[in-house]
Amino acid sequence: MEDLHIPASNETPEVRFEFSRHRLSMHGESYPENAMSFYGPIRSSLQNYLEKLPADGKVEVDIGLRYFNSSSTKLIRALIAMLDQTAEGGPSISVDWLHDADDDMMLEFGSDLKDEHRSLKFNTVVAEPA
Amino acid sequence: MKLELFNTFRDTAQENGVIFYYTGAFSQNVVAAIGDSLKQRLDSVNTSSAARRKVFSTFVEMAQNILHYAPEIAENDGAGAPAKYGALAVGRNGDEKFFVVCGNPVRMEDVSRLHEKLEPLRQMSIDEIKTAYREQLRNEDHANDAASKGAGLGFLTMARDATEPIEYSIAFASEADGGRADLYLRATI
């Protein structure tokens, strides 16, 4: 299936889902007014990809969000939940959750995601300064 | 506005530590433009990047609240298309804490819901706020709550970023169009 690339905007992160290489990444800030209209299509495209993933598949994901607003929060968490559900069925999915060294809140959010999604190889990683 | 009044206006803003002030119609473009400008202003302020992020986050939550919940109203002269109006200021008390304040009309029918959401937050410790935030994050029912577009996390996000309880007041404003009140919020970071 075709790769998904959405360039960053002021209020939305860069999304680079290279399905052909099994590498998915999302970087930037996320505070669109209508988070559902941004994340809806991303979710469907991810769903399509995950459904076809063989049980011995291997996916690398990295997510580096410097900031997201409240309405993006649940939608970002939902993407992680989709990955986790898929990983339960066999595929090996690793997620690097990048956060700035001094951003305790983003680290805490990542640690909570890690605790709740046990089928993923989930790592919180300090991001290189921009 | 007379020049000496403008001076008073500017002096008052400065004495109260105002870094940024906007009043008028809110749209996504306006919020994006203010956000950019606010980021630049904050970059020149001597503070931790954690505080900067929290001030910006609080600004976004308040501004998007106005976009989501303020009723569209026509300006006094009735000219121009109806829009969502509000006022918002960001500032700092000396070299200490930041504040973000906003004021905007809300529908009369939303007033009791706002009280119910805001009042309990004022009594909660930061740990209780974090627990409530986590619970709300896992609350799937909320997807069906049409009244809340922020996934029910907006006020909790503000409370989580604040160092003091969120202050608020709701004042009756008008009988027009089913009734309106003005909501004021103040977050200290």
Side-chain angles (χ1 to χ4, degrees), chain B residues 98-157:
Chain B
F98 289 89
F99 59 84
V100 186
V101 290
C102 72
N104 58 277
V106 290
R107 288 180 194 85
M108 218 52 208
E109 68 206 52
D110 290 335
V111 167
S112 60
R113 191 178 137 267
L114 286 165
H115 273 297
E116 280 163 25
K117 291 210 168 205
L118 287 162
E119 194 53 40
L121 281 183
R122 294 184 42 78
Q123 319 299 332
M124 288 159 101
S125 68
I126 187 66
D127 285 337
E128 287 169 329
I129 287 165
K130 283 187 177 179
T131 305
Y133 179 93
R134 286 193 174 98
E135 279 169 9
Q136 186 56 35
L137 191 57
R138 291 175 195 142
N139 176 6
E140 301 299 339
D141 299 344
H142 206 86
N144 307 318
D145 180 353
S148 179
K149 295 184 190 157
L153 287 167
F155 290 138
L156 281 165
T157 301

Side-chain angles (χ1 to χ4, degrees), chain A residues 11 29 74 102 112 116, chain B residues 28 39 49 134 138-139:
Chain A
E11 301 128 45
E29 300 193 336
K74 277 195 180 182
D102 66 348
D112 282 357
E116 288 177 306
Chain B
Q28 180 64 8
K39 263 189 196 162
S49 50
R134 286 193 174 98
R138 291 175 195 142
N139 176 6

Side-chain angles (χ1 to χ4, degrees), chain A residues 10-11 29 31-33 66-71 73-74 77 100 102-103 105 108-109 112 116, chain B residues 28 32 36 39 49 53-54 57 60-61 64 68 130 133-134 136-139 142 149 154 161:
Chain A
N10 250 349
E11 301 128 45
E29 300 193 336
Y31 55 106
E33 182 197 0
R66 290 206 140 77
Y67 165 64
F68 48 82
N69 67 348
S70 63
S71 47
T73 310
K74 277 195 180 182
R77 186 171 172 273
D100 287 345
D102 66 348
D103 195 347
M105 211 95 84
E108 210 173 301
F109 195 87
D112 282 357
E116 288 177 306
Chain B
Q28 180 64 8
D36 273 355
K39 263 189 196 162
S49 50
R53 271 192 293 268
K54 288 175 182 177
S57 163
V60 170
E61 294 305 327
Q64 291 187 334
H68 290 156
K130 283 187 177 179
Y133 179 93
R134 286 193 174 98
Q136 186 56 35
L137 191 57
R138 291 175 195 142
N139 176 6
H142 206 86
K149 295 184 190 157
D161 288 344

